[in-house]
Amino acid sequence: VQLQASGGGLVQAGGSLRLSCAASGRILRIHDMGWYRSAPGEQRELVASLTTDGSTKYGESVRGRFTISRDNAKNTVCLQMNGLKPEDTAVYYCNANIRTHWGRDVTLYWGQGTQVTVSS
């Protein structure tokens, strides 16, 4: 199983970016999906997560500006980021809890990360 993230880049403060993450490989079922970020010198933090029943959770600093969504048919999760601020600059990682075989435990997979840089 692989998670491939894309959509990062350089944007001015107040601008928008849309991140996408596609899961591929042997996938029986994808459970929760989410996005985390890691800035230099800081711990990785939750940006947003989305369960299979549509429940969402957002980090306090992004609530109201970012929106997470998923396309189950395409095994993708997206993060629409509006009103970007310089403090949003970080490497963004997607993750997903995936079951690959019946009778096996769900495994947490991570994407490779995509850089988001917001200039002031």
Side-chain angles (χ1 to χ4, degrees), residues 56-107:
T56 57
K57 183 183 295 185
Y58 291 95
E60 187 64 33
S61 62
V62 308
R63 191 171 294 124
R65 299 186 295 122
F66 292 8
T67 303
I68 189 170
S69 61
R70 63 190 287 172
D71 184 335
N72 292 326
K74 297 181 179 180
N75 291 336
T76 60
V77 60
C78 294
L79 184 70
Q80 178 65 43
M81 305 185 293
N82 298 328
L84 283 161
K85 304 176 181 179
E87 51 263 43
D88 294 319
T89 295
V91 178
Y92 285 69
Y93 299 89
C94 59
N95 71 3
N97 284 292
I98 299 174
R99 188 183 304 277
T100 59
H101 297 78
W102 288 116
R104 293 191 183 178
D105 291 338
V106 171
T107 300

Side-chain angles (χ1 to χ4, degrees), residues 17-84:
L17 282 174
R18 184 176 179 84
L19 306 182
S20 295
C21 177
S24 62
R26 182 180 174 88
I27 297 171
L28 187 63
R29 179 179 171 86
I30 301 178
H31 297 264
D32 298 0
M33 304 184 82
W35 290 91
Y36 284 71
R37 67 187 183 187
S38 180
E42 298 184 13
Q43 290 187 334
R44 188 174 295 188
E45 63 174 355
L46 170 70
V47 177
S49 64
L50 178 58
T51 66
T52 52
D53 65 2
S55 297
T56 57
K57 183 183 295 185
Y58 291 95
E60 187 64 33
S61 62
V62 308
R63 191 171 294 124
R65 299 186 295 122
F66 292 8
T67 303
I68 189 170
S69 61
R70 63 190 287 172
D71 184 335
N72 292 326
K74 297 181 179 180
N75 291 336
T76 60
V77 60
C78 294
L79 184 70
Q80 178 65 43
M81 305 185 293
N82 298 328
L84 283 161

